[in-house]
Amino acid sequence: MLDMYYMYPIALKEGNGIQLKDTNQKTYLDFYGGHGVISIGHSHPEFVKAIIQQVNQLAFYTNAFENPLQDELALLLGHQSGYDEYNLFLSNSGAEANENALKAASMVTGRGKVLSVKGAFHGRSAGAVGVTDNPKIRAAFGSQLVVDFISIDSLSELAEHLNSKEYAAFIIEGIQGVNGVWEATTEYWKLARKLCTQTGTLLVVDEIQSGYGRSGKFFAHQHHQILADIITIAKGMGNGFPVAGTIFSPQLVIGKGMLGTTFGGGHMACAAAISVLKTLKNEDLITKSEVQGGFLKSEISRLPLVKTVRGRGLMLGVEFEVSAKKVRQALLDEFGIITGFSDPEVLRILPPLTVSLAECEKLVNALNQLLTKELELLLESNNIQTVTIN
Ligand SMILES: Cc1ncc(COP(=O)(O)O)c(C=O)c1O
């Protein structure tokens, strides 16, 4: 294997709900969801059944032939997300969903420039990384893309850029994930919507991490009562089966044959994605996400050394008075609890939406023990200093 990823020396081999087991039989609680991917829980019986049934029937056939499962998926998705009239294009990864969104936006508007947000993460392929605010992961190849980055909290910057009428698209995450869980205000979203309409710019909302119920609504931008022109989805959509999509407003006419992919919308991917949508509905997981997330947010906010808890539903970011990296490592080493991390120093909580209140309490109790110990250590070292100075 190409040595590419920074990895924990842990090999996971089994999952059930939010529990994981490694090759040494050690168990873990998954408050990371494999980077926000596991939506309906590991090995959910409906998900397993759907995939087994489909592989026995037909694993794959090309998009040159009709696939009724795609229509079933699109109908369910439209209905459950509230975007009934929109059109779905299926692909395989978040980056690809964003590539398709930006390419289509450019084709429809005839413009080449894209506006993005500081701290944004949209993927690693040339176009997606071009609108990602991290020059360290870009190459010279693709450097001809013209992208401007604006602050997530400046209405005047937003207005100034959009009013130039130079941009094909304004791309923004429903809630910024990789950057440490930051969200634009409702005022910002509403202004973006109004100005995109006025200036012929397409509003592309990346819901790859924040979508599929994670925020307590189907899409995070729906907390701000606005409609997007294009929405991108992946991660939670397949609960671990690779599937992604780009959802287009019916007003956008995209030439036949302009987008395409071999594997996108294959039979297995559709079966997985349909079982996820059915389970989200049958188990009322979006409400659960709001309730358990609300519990976690208020309980964690009260713990010692917690500076702030950001985010919504089960997409939370916690800043501490101490190193979040250290807290994350201690959660893993001492309690077998897996969480995520963002630089600089944000602990990220992204469990499957099936997480129970009892499991949330385990995380709160573990954090409480760790942070109380940290506080005692801090107080001790302060006392020693005082004694030394005196
Ligand atoms: C908001 C967002 N967009 C896009 C992506 C890229 O998705 P993928 O890794 O499936 O290409 C990610 C992945 O972390 C993401 O968080």
Side-chain angles (χ1 to χ4, degrees), residues 35 92-96 98 121-124 173 175-178 206-210 232 234-235 244 348:
H35 204 80
N92 311 281
S93 73
E96 196 184 352
N98 283 332
F121 184 87
H122 296 292
R124 290 171 182 268
E173 285 156 90
I175 299 174
Q176 284 190 335
V178 173
D206 178 336
E207 292 278 4
I208 286 162
Q209 193 170 138
S210 54
T232 55
K235 294 198 190 283
R348 282 163 67 205

mmCIF file with all atom_site columns, all heavy atoms in Angstrom, residues 35 92-96 98 121-124 173 175-178 206-210 232 234-235 244 348, ligand 1:
data_model
loop_
_atom_site.group_PDB
_atom_site.id
_atom_site.type_symbol
_atom_site.label_atom_id
_atom_site.label_alt_id
_atom_site.label_comp_id
_atom_site.label_asym_id
_atom_site.label_entity_id
_atom_site.label_seq_id
_atom_site.pdbx_PDB_ins_code
_atom_site.Cartn_x
_atom_site.Cartn_y
_atom_site.Cartn_z
_atom_site.occupancy
_atom_site.B_iso_or_equiv
_atom_site.pdbx_formal_charge
_atom_site.auth_seq_id
_atom_site.auth_comp_id
_atom_site.auth_asym_id
_atom_site.auth_atom_id
_atom_site.pdbx_PDB_model_num
ATOM   1   N N   . HIS A 1 35  ? -15.729 8.954  9.973   1.00 0.00 ? 35  HIS A N   1
ATOM   2   C CA  . HIS A 1 35  ? -15.719 10.293 9.379   1.00 0.00 ? 35  HIS A CA  1
ATOM   3   C C   . HIS A 1 35  ? -17.123 10.688 8.882   1.00 0.00 ? 35  HIS A C   1
ATOM   4   O O   . HIS A 1 35  ? -17.304 11.147 7.744   1.00 0.00 ? 35  HIS A O   1
ATOM   5   C CB  . HIS A 1 35  ? -14.701 10.369 8.232   1.00 0.00 ? 35  HIS A CB  1
ATOM   6   C CG  . HIS A 1 35  ? -14.227 11.771 7.977   1.00 0.00 ? 35  HIS A CG  1
ATOM   7   N ND1 . HIS A 1 35  ? -13.271 12.375 8.719   1.00 0.00 ? 35  HIS A ND1 1
ATOM   8   C CD2 . HIS A 1 35  ? -14.633 12.678 7.077   1.00 0.00 ? 35  HIS A CD2 1
ATOM   9   C CE1 . HIS A 1 35  ? -13.087 13.590 8.281   1.00 0.00 ? 35  HIS A CE1 1
ATOM   10  N NE2 . HIS A 1 35  ? -13.913 13.815 7.289   1.00 0.00 ? 35  HIS A NE2 1
ATOM   11  N N   . ASN A 1 92  ? -20.032 8.447  -7.161  1.00 0.00 ? 92  ASN A N   1
ATOM   12  C CA  . ASN A 1 92  ? -19.412 7.495  -6.233  1.00 0.00 ? 92  ASN A CA  1
ATOM   13  C C   . ASN A 1 92  ? -18.738 8.082  -5.001  1.00 0.00 ? 92  ASN A C   1
ATOM   14  O O   . ASN A 1 92  ? -18.472 7.368  -4.058  1.00 0.00 ? 92  ASN A O   1
ATOM   15  C CB  . ASN A 1 92  ? -18.352 6.681  -6.989  1.00 0.00 ? 92  ASN A CB  1
ATOM   16  C CG  . ASN A 1 92  ? -18.903 6.133  -8.279  1.00 0.00 ? 92  ASN A CG  1
ATOM   17  O OD1 . ASN A 1 92  ? -19.605 5.137  -8.270  1.00 0.00 ? 92  ASN A OD1 1
ATOM   18  N ND2 . ASN A 1 92  ? -18.633 6.812  -9.380  1.00 0.00 ? 92  ASN A ND2 1
ATOM   19  N N   . SER A 1 93  ? -18.399 9.356  -5.037  1.00 0.00 ? 93  SER A N   1
ATOM   20  C CA  . SER A 1 93  ? -17.697 9.944  -3.885  1.00 0.00 ? 93  SER A CA  1
ATOM   21  C C   . SER A 1 93  ? -18.069 11.417 -3.779  1.00 0.00 ? 93  SER A C   1
ATOM   22  O O   . SER A 1 93  ? -18.592 12.012 -4.738  1.00 0.00 ? 93  SER A O   1
ATOM   23  C CB  . SER A 1 93  ? -16.179 9.829  -4.054  1.00 0.00 ? 93  SER A CB  1
ATOM   24  O OG  . SER A 1 93  ? -15.756 10.743 -5.049  1.00 0.00 ? 93  SER A OG  1
ATOM   25  N N   . GLY A 1 94  ? -17.768 11.984 -2.616  1.00 0.00 ? 94  GLY A N   1
ATOM   26  C CA  . GLY A 1 94  ? -18.092 13.390 -2.388  1.00 0.00 ? 94  GLY A CA  1
ATOM   27  C C   . GLY A 1 94  ? -17.394 14.310 -3.373  1.00 0.00 ? 94  GLY A C   1
ATOM   28  O O   . GLY A 1 94  ? -18.005 15.240 -3.924  1.00 0.00 ? 94  GLY A O   1
ATOM   29  N N   . ALA A 1 95  ? -16.108 14.035 -3.607  1.00 0.00 ? 95  ALA A N   1
ATOM   30  C CA  . ALA A 1 95  ? -15.356 14.891 -4.531  1.00 0.00 ? 95  ALA A CA  1
ATOM   31  C C   . ALA A 1 95  ? -16.009 14.881 -5.912  1.00 0.00 ? 95  ALA A C   1
ATOM   32  O O   . ALA A 1 95  ? -16.160 15.925 -6.566  1.00 0.00 ? 95  ALA A O   1
ATOM   33  C CB  . ALA A 1 95  ? -13.908 14.410 -4.618  1.00 0.00 ? 95  ALA A CB  1
ATOM   34  N N   . GLU A 1 96  ? -16.423 13.701 -6.345  1.00 0.00 ? 96  GLU A N   1
ATOM   35  C CA  . GLU A 1 96  ? -17.033 13.568 -7.671  1.00 0.00 ? 96  GLU A CA  1
ATOM   36  C C   . GLU A 1 96  ? -18.377 14.312 -7.724  1.00 0.00 ? 96  GLU A C   1
ATOM   37  O O   . GLU A 1 96  ? -18.699 14.954 -8.735  1.00 0.00 ? 96  GLU A O   1
ATOM   38  C CB  . GLU A 1 96  ? -17.229 12.079 -7.983  1.00 0.00 ? 96  GLU A CB  1
ATOM   39  C CG  . GLU A 1 96  ? -17.483 11.791 -9.438  1.00 0.00 ? 96  GLU A CG  1
ATOM   40  C CD  . GLU A 1 96  ? -17.776 10.309 -9.688  1.00 0.00 ? 96  GLU A CD  1
ATOM   41  O OE1 . GLU A 1 96  ? -17.629 9.473  -8.768  1.00 0.00 ? 96  GLU A OE1 1
ATOM   42  O OE2 . GLU A 1 96  ? -18.174 9.998  -10.813 1.00 0.00 ? 96  GLU A OE2 1
ATOM   43  N N   . ASN A 1 98  ? -19.114 16.959 -6.079  1.00 0.00 ? 98  ASN A N   1
ATOM   44  C CA  . ASN A 1 98  ? -18.802 18.388 -6.186  1.00 0.00 ? 98  ASN A CA  1
ATOM   45  C C   . ASN A 1 98  ? -18.264 18.756 -7.571  1.00 0.00 ? 98  ASN A C   1
ATOM   46  O O   . ASN A 1 98  ? -18.582 19.822 -8.105  1.00 0.00 ? 98  ASN A O   1
ATOM   47  C CB  . ASN A 1 98  ? -17.801 18.799 -5.096  1.00 0.00 ? 98  ASN A CB  1
ATOM   48  C CG  . ASN A 1 98  ? -18.482 18.931 -3.740  1.00 0.00 ? 98  ASN A CG  1
ATOM   49  O OD1 . ASN A 1 98  ? -19.679 19.236 -3.670  1.00 0.00 ? 98  ASN A OD1 1
ATOM   50  N ND2 . ASN A 1 98  ? -17.739 18.707 -2.672  1.00 0.00 ? 98  ASN A ND2 1
ATOM   51  N N   . PHE A 1 121 ? -13.754 22.614 2.924   1.00 0.00 ? 121 PHE A N   1
ATOM   52  C CA  . PHE A 1 121 ? -13.220 21.349 2.407   1.00 0.00 ? 121 PHE A CA  1
ATOM   53  C C   . PHE A 1 121 ? -14.272 20.730 1.503   1.00 0.00 ? 121 PHE A C   1
ATOM   54  O O   . PHE A 1 121 ? -15.414 20.511 1.922   1.00 0.00 ? 121 PHE A O   1
ATOM   55  C CB  . PHE A 1 121 ? -12.869 20.365 3.531   1.00 0.00 ? 121 PHE A CB  1
ATOM   56  C CG  . PHE A 1 121 ? -12.225 19.115 2.986   1.00 0.00 ? 121 PHE A CG  1
ATOM   57  C CD1 . PHE A 1 121 ? -10.855 19.050 2.786   1.00 0.00 ? 121 PHE A CD1 1
ATOM   58  C CD2 . PHE A 1 121 ? -12.991 18.026 2.615   1.00 0.00 ? 121 PHE A CD2 1
ATOM   59  C CE1 . PHE A 1 121 ? -10.257 17.918 2.229   1.00 0.00 ? 121 PHE A CE1 1
ATOM   60  C CE2 . PHE A 1 121 ? -12.404 16.883 2.057   1.00 0.00 ? 121 PHE A CE2 1
ATOM   61  C CZ  . PHE A 1 121 ? -11.030 16.837 1.872   1.00 0.00 ? 121 PHE A CZ  1
ATOM   62  N N   . HIS A 1 122 ? -13.868 20.451 0.236   1.00 0.00 ? 122 HIS A N   1
ATOM   63  C CA  . HIS A 1 122 ? -14.836 19.878 -0.704  1.00 0.00 ? 122 HIS A CA  1
ATOM   64  C C   . HIS A 1 122 ? -14.309 18.639 -1.414  1.00 0.00 ? 122 HIS A C   1
ATOM   65  O O   . HIS A 1 122 ? -14.953 18.143 -2.332  1.00 0.00 ? 122 HIS A O   1
ATOM   66  C CB  . HIS A 1 122 ? -15.251 20.931 -1.737  1.00 0.00 ? 122 HIS A CB  1
ATOM   67  C CG  . HIS A 1 122 ? -15.979 22.098 -1.138  1.00 0.00 ? 122 HIS A CG  1
ATOM   68  N ND1 . HIS A 1 122 ? -17.237 21.980 -0.585  1.00 0.00 ? 122 HIS A ND1 1
ATOM   69  C CD2 . HIS A 1 122 ? -15.628 23.407 -0.977  1.00 0.00 ? 122 HIS A CD2 1
ATOM   70  C CE1 . HIS A 1 122 ? -17.648 23.167 -0.132  1.00 0.00 ? 122 HIS A CE1 1
ATOM   71  N NE2 . HIS A 1 122 ? -16.677 24.045 -0.349  1.00 0.00 ? 122 HIS A NE2 1
ATOM   72  N N   . GLY A 1 123 ? -13.125 18.146 -1.033  1.00 0.00 ? 123 GLY A N   1
ATOM   73  C CA  . GLY A 1 123 ? -12.610 16.931 -1.664  1.00 0.00 ? 123 GLY A CA  1
ATOM   74  C C   . GLY A 1 123 ? -11.245 17.146 -2.274  1.00 0.00 ? 123 GLY A C   1
ATOM   75  O O   . GLY A 1 123 ? -10.681 18.250 -2.199  1.00 0.00 ? 123 GLY A O   1
ATOM   76  N N   . ARG A 1 124 ? -10.705 16.083 -2.886  1.00 0.00 ? 124 ARG A N   1
ATOM   77  C CA  . ARG A 1 124 ? -9.293  16.105 -3.299  1.00 0.00 ? 124 ARG A CA  1
ATOM   78  C C   . ARG A 1 124 ? -9.054  15.978 -4.796  1.00 0.00 ? 124 ARG A C   1
ATOM   79  O O   . ARG A 1 124 ? -7.915  16.020 -5.229  1.00 0.00 ? 124 ARG A O   1
ATOM   80  C CB  . ARG A 1 124 ? -8.547  15.001 -2.550  1.00 0.00 ? 124 ARG A CB  1
ATOM   81  C CG  . ARG A 1 124 ? -8.410  15.339 -1.075  1.00 0.00 ? 124 ARG A CG  1
ATOM   82  C CD  . ARG A 1 124 ? -7.885  14.171 -0.286  1.00 0.00 ? 124 ARG A CD  1
ATOM   83  N NE  . ARG A 1 124 ? -7.797  14.489 1.133   1.00 0.00 ? 124 ARG A NE  1
ATOM   84  C CZ  . ARG A 1 124 ? -6.715  14.979 1.739   1.00 0.00 ? 124 ARG A CZ  1
ATOM   85  N NH1 . ARG A 1 124 ? -5.611  15.183 1.057   1.00 0.00 ? 124 ARG A NH1 1
ATOM   86  N NH2 . ARG A 1 124 ? -6.729  15.246 3.020   1.00 0.00 ? 124 ARG A NH2 1
ATOM   87  N N   . GLU A 1 173 ? -20.404 24.680 2.473   1.00 0.00 ? 173 GLU A N   1
ATOM   88  C CA  . GLU A 1 173 ? -20.855 23.500 3.223   1.00 0.00 ? 173 GLU A CA  1
ATOM   89  C C   . GLU A 1 173 ? -22.062 23.861 4.100   1.00 0.00 ? 173 GLU A C   1
ATOM   90  O O   . GLU A 1 173 ? -22.088 24.963 4.672   1.00 0.00 ? 173 GLU A O   1
ATOM   91  C CB  . GLU A 1 173 ? -19.732 23.002 4.144   1.00 0.00 ? 173 GLU A CB  1
ATOM   92  C CG  . GLU A 1 173 ? -18.613 22.282 3.421   1.00 0.00 ? 173 GLU A CG  1
ATOM   93  C CD  . GLU A 1 173 ? -17.302 22.320 4.205   1.00 0.00 ? 173 GLU A CD  1
ATOM   94  O OE1 . GLU A 1 173 ? -17.059 21.417 5.012   1.00 0.00 ? 173 GLU A OE1 1
ATOM   95  O OE2 . GLU A 1 173 ? -16.512 23.265 3.991   1.00 0.00 ? 173 GLU A OE2 1
ATOM   96  N N   . ILE A 1 175 ? -22.704 22.770 7.017   1.00 0.00 ? 175 ILE A N   1
ATOM   97  C CA  . ILE A 1 175 ? -21.909 23.113 8.207   1.00 0.00 ? 175 ILE A CA  1
ATOM   98  C C   . ILE A 1 175 ? -20.489 22.678 7.864   1.00 0.00 ? 175 ILE A C   1
ATOM   99  O O   . ILE A 1 175 ? -20.290 21.548 7.409   1.00 0.00 ? 175 ILE A O   1
ATOM   100 C CB  . ILE A 1 175 ? -22.380 22.345 9.471   1.00 0.00 ? 175 ILE A CB  1
ATOM   101 C CG1 . ILE A 1 175 ? -23.841 22.690 9.825   1.00 0.00 ? 175 ILE A CG1 1
ATOM   102 C CG2 . ILE A 1 175 ? -21.460 22.624 10.662  1.00 0.00 ? 175 ILE A CG2 1
ATOM   103 C CD1 . ILE A 1 175 ? -24.428 21.860 10.977  1.00 0.00 ? 175 ILE A CD1 1
ATOM   104 N N   . GLN A 1 176 ? -19.523 23.571 8.049   1.00 0.00 ? 176 GLN A N   1
ATOM   105 C CA  . GLN A 1 176 ? -18.139 23.184 7.745   1.00 0.00 ? 176 GLN A CA  1
ATOM   106 C C   . GLN A 1 176 ? -17.698 22.074 8.700   1.00 0.00 ? 176 GLN A C   1
ATOM   107 O O   . GLN A 1 176 ? -17.812 22.228 9.923   1.00 0.00 ? 176 GLN A O   1
ATOM   108 C CB  . GLN A 1 176 ? -17.193 24.375 7.910   1.00 0.00 ? 176 GLN A CB  1
ATOM   109 C CG  . GLN A 1 176 ? -17.276 25.371 6.762   1.00 0.00 ? 176 GLN A CG  1
ATOM   110 C CD  . GLN A 1 176 ? -16.159 26.404 6.837   1.00 0.00 ? 176 GLN A CD  1
ATOM   111 O OE1 . GLN A 1 176 ? -15.619 26.679 7.912   1.00 0.00 ? 176 GLN A OE1 1
ATOM   112 N NE2 . GLN A 1 176 ? -15.819 26.979 5.700   1.00 0.00 ? 176 GLN A NE2 1
ATOM   113 N N   . GLY A 1 177 ? -17.189 20.970 8.134   1.00 0.00 ? 177 GLY A N   1
ATOM   114 C CA  . GLY A 1 177 ? -16.787 19.844 8.964   1.00 0.00 ? 177 GLY A CA  1
ATOM   115 C C   . GLY A 1 177 ? -15.300 19.813 9.245   1.00 0.00 ? 177 GLY A C   1
ATOM   116 O O   . GLY A 1 177 ? -14.856 20.055 10.375  1.00 0.00 ? 177 GLY A O   1
ATOM   117 N N   . VAL A 1 178 ? -14.531 19.579 8.190   1.00 0.00 ? 178 VAL A N   1
ATOM   118 C CA  . VAL A 1 178 ? -13.083 19.400 8.334   1.00 0.00 ? 178 VAL A CA  1
ATOM   119 C C   . VAL A 1 178 ? -12.437 20.605 9.037   1.00 0.00 ? 178 VAL A C   1
ATOM   120 O O   . VAL A 1 178 ? -11.494 20.472 9.806   1.00 0.00 ? 178 VAL A O   1
ATOM   121 C CB  . VAL A 1 178 ? -12.454 19.143 6.939   1.00 0.00 ? 178 VAL A CB  1
ATOM   122 C CG1 . VAL A 1 178 ? -10.937 19.114 6.995   1.00 0.00 ? 178 VAL A CG1 1
ATOM   123 C CG2 . VAL A 1 178 ? -12.985 17.832 6.370   1.00 0.00 ? 178 VAL A CG2 1
ATOM   124 N N   . ASP A 1 206 ? -22.816 22.033 -0.241  1.00 0.00 ? 206 ASP A N   1
ATOM   125 C CA  . ASP A 1 206 ? -22.155 20.748 -0.012  1.00 0.00 ? 206 ASP A CA  1
ATOM   126 C C   . ASP A 1 206 ? -22.691 20.182 1.301   1.00 0.00 ? 206 ASP A C   1
ATOM   127 O O   . ASP A 1 206 ? -22.354 20.659 2.385   1.00 0.00 ? 206 ASP A O   1
ATOM   128 C CB  . ASP A 1 206 ? -20.636 20.979 0.038   1.00 0.00 ? 206 ASP A CB  1
ATOM   129 C CG  . ASP A 1 206 ? -19.842 19.712 0.317   1.00 0.00 ? 206 ASP A CG  1
ATOM   130 O OD1 . ASP A 1 206 ? -20.417 18.775 0.904   1.00 0.00 ? 206 ASP A OD1 1
ATOM   131 O OD2 . ASP A 1 206 ? -18.642 19.671 -0.006  1.00 0.00 ? 206 ASP A OD2 1
ATOM   132 N N   . GLU A 1 207 ? -23.559 19.174 1.179   1.00 0.00 ? 207 GLU A N   1
ATOM   133 C CA  . GLU A 1 207 ? -24.155 18.530 2.368   1.00 0.00 ? 207 GLU A CA  1
ATOM   134 C C   . GLU A 1 207 ? -23.574 17.132 2.546   1.00 0.00 ? 207 GLU A C   1
ATOM   135 O O   . GLU A 1 207 ? -24.208 16.249 3.111   1.00 0.00 ? 207 GLU A O   1
ATOM   136 C CB  . GLU A 1 207 ? -25.686 18.473 2.213   1.00 0.00 ? 207 GLU A CB  1
ATOM   137 C CG  . GLU A 1 207 ? -26.377 19.828 2.254   1.00 0.00 ? 207 GLU A CG  1
ATOM   138 C CD  . GLU A 1 207 ? -26.606 20.347 3.677   1.00 0.00 ? 207 GLU A CD  1
ATOM   139 O OE1 . GLU A 1 207 ? -26.169 19.687 4.640   1.00 0.00 ? 207 GLU A OE1 1
ATOM   140 O OE2 . GLU A 1 207 ? -27.225 21.430 3.802   1.00 0.00 ? 207 GLU A OE2 1
ATOM   141 N N   . ILE A 1 208 ? -22.358 16.963 2.029   1.00 0.00 ? 208 ILE A N   1
ATOM   142 C CA  . ILE A 1 208 ? -21.729 15.640 2.047   1.00 0.00 ? 208 ILE A CA  1
ATOM   143 C C   . ILE A 1 208 ? -21.531 15.127 3.475   1.00 0.00 ? 208 ILE A C   1
ATOM   144 O O   . ILE A 1 208 ? -21.757 13.954 3.755   1.00 0.00 ? 208 ILE A O   1
ATOM   145 C CB  . ILE A 1 208 ? -20.413 15.703 1.239   1.00 0.00 ? 208 ILE A CB  1
ATOM   146 C CG1 . ILE A 1 208 ? -20.784 15.764 -0.245  1.00 0.00 ? 208 ILE A CG1 1
ATOM   147 C CG2 . ILE A 1 208 ? -19.469 14.545 1.551   1.00 0.00 ? 208 ILE A CG2 1
ATOM   148 C CD1 . ILE A 1 208 ? -19.697 16.251 -1.168  1.00 0.00 ? 208 ILE A CD1 1
ATOM   149 N N   . GLN A 1 209 ? -21.147 16.024 4.373   1.00 0.00 ? 209 GLN A N   1
ATOM   150 C CA  . GLN A 1 209 ? -20.974 15.615 5.767   1.00 0.00 ? 209 GLN A CA  1
ATOM   151 C C   . GLN A 1 209 ? -22.187 16.004 6.614   1.00 0.00 ? 209 GLN A C   1
ATOM   152 O O   . GLN A 1 209 ? -22.608 15.272 7.504   1.00 0.00 ? 209 GLN A O   1
ATOM   153 C CB  . GLN A 1 209 ? -19.697 16.258 6.332   1.00 0.00 ? 209 GLN A CB  1
ATOM   154 C CG  . GLN A 1 209 ? -19.295 15.652 7.639   1.00 0.00 ? 209 GLN A CG  1
ATOM   155 C CD  . GLN A 1 209 ? -17.907 16.079 8.106   1.00 0.00 ? 209 GLN A CD  1
ATOM   156 O OE1 . GLN A 1 209 ? -17.721 16.348 9.271   1.00 0.00 ? 209 GLN A OE1 1
ATOM   157 N NE2 . GLN A 1 209 ? -16.921 16.146 7.224   1.00 0.00 ? 209 GLN A NE2 1
ATOM   158 N N   . SER A 1 210 ? -22.744 17.178 6.344   1.00 0.00 ? 210 SER A N   1
ATOM   159 C CA  . SER A 1 210 ? -23.796 17.716 7.221   1.00 0.00 ? 210 SER A CA  1
ATOM   160 C C   . SER A 1 210 ? -25.190 17.232 6.849   1.00 0.00 ? 210 SER A C   1
ATOM   161 O O   . SER A 1 210 ? -26.141 17.478 7.590   1.00 0.00 ? 210 SER A O   1
ATOM   162 C CB  . SER A 1 210 ? -23.748 19.248 7.182   1.00 0.00 ? 210 SER A CB  1
ATOM   163 O OG  . SER A 1 210 ? -23.826 19.722 5.836   1.00 0.00 ? 210 SER A OG  1
ATOM   164 N N   . THR A 1 232 ? -24.942 18.690 -2.921  1.00 0.00 ? 232 THR A N   1
ATOM   165 C CA  . THR A 1 232 ? -24.123 17.491 -3.100  1.00 0.00 ? 232 THR A CA  1
ATOM   166 C C   . THR A 1 232 ? -24.206 16.614 -1.849  1.00 0.00 ? 232 THR A C   1
ATOM   167 O O   . THR A 1 232 ? -24.225 17.117 -0.718  1.00 0.00 ? 232 THR A O   1
ATOM   168 C CB  . THR A 1 232 ? -22.663 17.840 -3.430  1.00 0.00 ? 232 THR A CB  1
ATOM   169 O OG1 . THR A 1 232 ? -22.137 18.706 -2.411  1.00 0.00 ? 232 THR A OG1 1
ATOM   170 C CG2 . THR A 1 232 ? -22.554 18.523 -4.771  1.00 0.00 ? 232 THR A CG2 1
ATOM   171 N N   . ALA A 1 234 ? -23.091 12.532 -0.099  1.00 0.00 ? 234 ALA A N   1
ATOM   172 C CA  . ALA A 1 234 ? -22.276 11.302 -0.153  1.00 0.00 ? 234 ALA A CA  1
ATOM   173 C C   . ALA A 1 234 ? -22.321 10.685 1.254   1.00 0.00 ? 234 ALA A C   1
ATOM   174 O O   . ALA A 1 234 ? -23.413 10.484 1.783   1.00 0.00 ? 234 ALA A O   1
ATOM   175 C CB  . ALA A 1 234 ? -20.854 11.604 -0.609  1.00 0.00 ? 234 ALA A CB  1
ATOM   176 N N   . LYS A 1 235 ? -21.186 10.457 1.861   1.00 0.00 ? 235 LYS A N   1
ATOM   177 C CA  . LYS A 1 235 ? -21.046 9.908  3.222   1.00 0.00 ? 235 LYS A CA  1
ATOM   178 C C   . LYS A 1 235 ? -22.263 9.126  3.753   1.00 0.00 ? 235 LYS A C   1
ATOM   179 O O   . LYS A 1 235 ? -22.409 7.953  3.460   1.00 0.00 ? 235 LYS A O   1
ATOM   180 C CB  . LYS A 1 235 ? -20.653 11.026 4.184   1.00 0.00 ? 235 LYS A CB  1
ATOM   181 C CG  . LYS A 1 235 ? -19.255 11.593 3.880   1.00 0.00 ? 235 LYS A CG  1
ATOM   182 C CD  . LYS A 1 235 ? -18.718 12.358 5.050   1.00 0.00 ? 235 LYS A CD  1
ATOM   183 C CE  . LYS A 1 235 ? -17.464 13.126 4.708   1.00 0.00 ? 235 LYS A CE  1
ATOM   184 N NZ  . LYS A 1 235 ? -16.259 12.293 4.630   1.00 0.00 ? 235 LYS A NZ  1
ATOM   185 N N   . ALA A 1 244 ? -22.767 8.520  -4.066  1.00 0.00 ? 244 ALA A N   1
ATOM   186 C CA  . ALA A 1 244 ? -22.838 9.981  -3.907  1.00 0.00 ? 244 ALA A CA  1
ATOM   187 C C   . ALA A 1 244 ? -23.837 10.521 -4.915  1.00 0.00 ? 244 ALA A C   1
ATOM   188 O O   . ALA A 1 244 ? -24.283 9.790  -5.820  1.00 0.00 ? 244 ALA A O   1
ATOM   189 C CB  . ALA A 1 244 ? -21.460 10.593 -4.145  1.00 0.00 ? 244 ALA A CB  1
ATOM   190 N N   . ARG A 1 348 ? -14.121 16.392 17.290  1.00 0.00 ? 348 ARG A N   1
ATOM   191 C CA  . ARG A 1 348 ? -15.344 16.279 16.473  1.00 0.00 ? 348 ARG A CA  1
ATOM   192 C C   . ARG A 1 348 ? -16.136 15.025 16.820  1.00 0.00 ? 348 ARG A C   1
ATOM   193 O O   . ARG A 1 348 ? -15.581 13.939 16.928  1.00 0.00 ? 348 ARG A O   1
ATOM   194 C CB  . ARG A 1 348 ? -14.970 16.306 14.989  1.00 0.00 ? 348 ARG A CB  1
ATOM   195 C CG  . ARG A 1 348 ? -14.692 17.741 14.549  1.00 0.00 ? 348 ARG A CG  1
ATOM   196 C CD  . ARG A 1 348 ? -13.960 17.777 13.272  1.00 0.00 ? 348 ARG A CD  1
ATOM   197 N NE  . ARG A 1 348 ? -14.784 17.292 12.191  1.00 0.00 ? 348 ARG A NE  1
ATOM   198 C CZ  . ARG A 1 348 ? -14.293 16.771 11.078  1.00 0.00 ? 348 ARG A CZ  1
ATOM   199 N NH1 . ARG A 1 348 ? -12.990 16.656 10.910  1.00 0.00 ? 348 ARG A NH1 1
ATOM   200 N NH2 . ARG A 1 348 ? -15.087 16.369 10.129  1.00 0.00 ? 348 ARG A NH2 1
HETATM 201 C C1  . LIG B 2 .   ? -17.921 18.622 3.220   1.00 0.00 ? 1   LIG B C1  1
HETATM 202 C C2  . LIG B 2 .   ? -17.175 17.578 2.421   1.00 0.00 ? 1   LIG B C2  1
HETATM 203 N N1  . LIG B 2 .   ? -17.197 17.662 1.080   1.00 0.00 ? 1   LIG B N1  1
HETATM 204 C C3  . LIG B 2 .   ? -16.548 16.763 0.317   1.00 0.00 ? 1   LIG B C3  1
HETATM 205 C C4  . LIG B 2 .   ? -15.840 15.731 0.885   1.00 0.00 ? 1   LIG B C4  1
HETATM 206 C C5  . LIG B 2 .   ? -15.107 14.758 0.005   1.00 0.00 ? 1   LIG B C5  1
HETATM 207 O O1  . LIG B 2 .   ? -15.760 13.530 0.004   1.00 0.00 ? 1   LIG B O1  1
HETATM 208 P P1  . LIG B 2 .   ? -14.993 12.235 -0.545  1.00 0.00 ? 1   LIG B P1  1
HETATM 209 O O2  . LIG B 2 .   ? -13.886 11.961 0.419   1.00 0.00 ? 1   LIG B O2  1
HETATM 210 O O3  . LIG B 2 .   ? -16.068 11.164 -0.543  1.00 0.00 ? 1   LIG B O3  1
HETATM 211 O O4  . LIG B 2 .   ? -14.502 12.544 -1.892  1.00 0.00 ? 1   LIG B O4  1
HETATM 212 C C6  . LIG B 2 .   ? -15.779 15.619 2.287   1.00 0.00 ? 1   LIG B C6  1
HETATM 213 C C7  . LIG B 2 .   ? -14.983 14.558 2.918   1.00 0.00 ? 1   LIG B C7  1
HETATM 214 O O5  . LIG B 2 .   ? -14.598 14.616 4.074   1.00 0.00 ? 1   LIG B O5  1
HETATM 215 C C8  . LIG B 2 .   ? -16.467 16.573 3.075   1.00 0.00 ? 1   LIG B C8  1
HETATM 216 O O6  . LIG B 2 .   ? -16.429 16.526 4.400   1.00 0.00 ? 1   LIG B O6  1
#
